Amino acid sequence: MKRPILIVLLLLLATSVSAQHRRHSKANTFDFTIRGGMNMCQIDGDADGNYNKLGYHLGVNTTFPVSHDNENLRFLVEIGVSNKGSKVKAMHRTFSTTYIEIPLLLTYHFGNYQDQGLRLGIGFAPAILGKASVDDDGERRPTLEQNFRRMDALPFCFDVHYRISEHFGFQARFYSSLLPITKEASQGTYRIFRENKGAFHRLIQTGVLYRF
């Protein structure tokens, strides 16, 4: 993956959000959060249905009120990196994919937004593939690696966020691709309707966050 590009994107977002946060601190129009943690991953359609591939995620995001009358209803924009994939024990095969993600979520905080409390979010997290690797007992499979699409265009995302103080909190997210992540669609499983066949990411994220 082109790490310098990701670093530049993260720095630009952090600088922009930090500036917005300082500019609007009295009205609390924007906030800025960094988050990171562990992924528990699976690829539906790979002949193994367990969350048995561990990965990581790291991201920065900002939220802003959807309405001036209710700062608890907010829109979240994030950019980050996430390692996904799966393990197929019967084949001794490991899929590992790393994406640049851009989650876009509608969120609602229960209670006073400045205080600790629960926030729920729902939306989509489009992701650009940075790197894909397929390993069969230590041997790489370039043909299978090249089969991954350059973009996971429509992953559904559900977010649960609990802040234990003004700054620190815990977070869990569920992701499920709605469109195939590989070019080959003659085998695999289905999403939503019978014509939508192929392989799909499915994962649970857990982690910690710090809100500035």
Side-chain angles (χ1 to χ4, degrees):
M1 183 177 62
K2 297 181 179 179
R3 294 182 182 179
I5 295 177
L6 175 60
I7 293 172
V8 169
L9 288 172
L10 292 174
L11 288 175
L12 287 174
L13 179 62
T15 302
S16 174
V17 172
S18 180
Q20 291 283 6
H21 179 65
R22 289 194 300 270
R23 188 181 305 158
H24 301 285
S25 57
K26 291 184 179 180
N28 192 40
T29 304
F30 287 80
D31 62 15
F32 173 51
T33 300
I34 60 174
R35 57 183 293 269
M38 180 180 69
N39 294 344
M40 293 172 285
C41 315
Q42 163 59 22
I43 294 179
D44 292 340
D46 67 353
D48 194 322
N50 299 313
Y51 290 94
N52 53 16
K53 163 71 168 62
L54 296 182
Y56 61 87
H57 66 271
L58 177 67
V60 295
N61 65 59
T62 182
T63 71
F64 52 88
V66 175
S67 167
H68 293 296
D69 300 326
N70 184 359
E71 72 169 354
N72 287 358
L73 182 64
R74 303 173 76 88
F75 192 75
L76 179 148
V77 180
E78 182 174 310
I79 184 169
V81 59
S82 183
N83 178 254
K84 309 177 184 181
S86 71
K87 288 186 177 181
V88 185
K89 293 182 178 180
M91 300 179 182
H92 304 284
R93 176 175 294 170
T94 300
F95 297 91
S96 181
T97 57
T98 304
Y99 288 86
I100 298 173
E101 286 187 336
I102 309 174
L104 306 170
L105 308 177
L106 185 65
T107 71
Y108 187 84
H109 183 87
F110 294 88
N112 188 329
Y113 186 76
Q114 298 302 320
D115 299 332
Q116 67 187 49
L118 176 69
R119 187 192 75 188
L120 300 180
I122 190 169
F124 298 96
I128 301 170
L129 181 65
K131 181 180 179 181
S133 64
V134 182
D135 183 282
D136 282 355
D137 267 343
E139 182 178 346
R140 289 188 59 183
R141 298 290 301 275
T143 302
L144 295 178
E145 293 172 357
Q146 296 168 8
N147 194 40
F148 280 89
R149 296 182 184 275
R150 301 305 300 173
M151 187 171 186
D152 187 1
L154 198 64
F156 168 80
C157 178
F158 178 71
D159 177 90
V160 180
H161 165 136
Y162 188 82
R163 214 164 60 233
I164 60 175
S165 69
E166 182 180 355
H167 299 291
F168 290 98
F170 300 95
Q171 193 168 33
R173 284 183 181 175
F174 172 76
Y175 289 85
S176 182
S177 301
L178 300 182
L179 298 176
I181 60 171
T182 59
K183 301 171 186 176
E184 176 60 57
S186 61
Q187 58 184 1
T189 188
Y190 300 93
R191 276 287 193 276
I192 304 176
F193 49 87
R194 296 292 292 180
E195 290 78 12
N196 191 16
K197 187 177 184 179
F200 307 86
H201 281 304
R202 179 161 51 95
L203 67 146
I204 298 171
Q205 286 186 349
T206 58
V208 296
L209 57 92
Y210 183 84
R211 175 176 174 264
F212 290 87

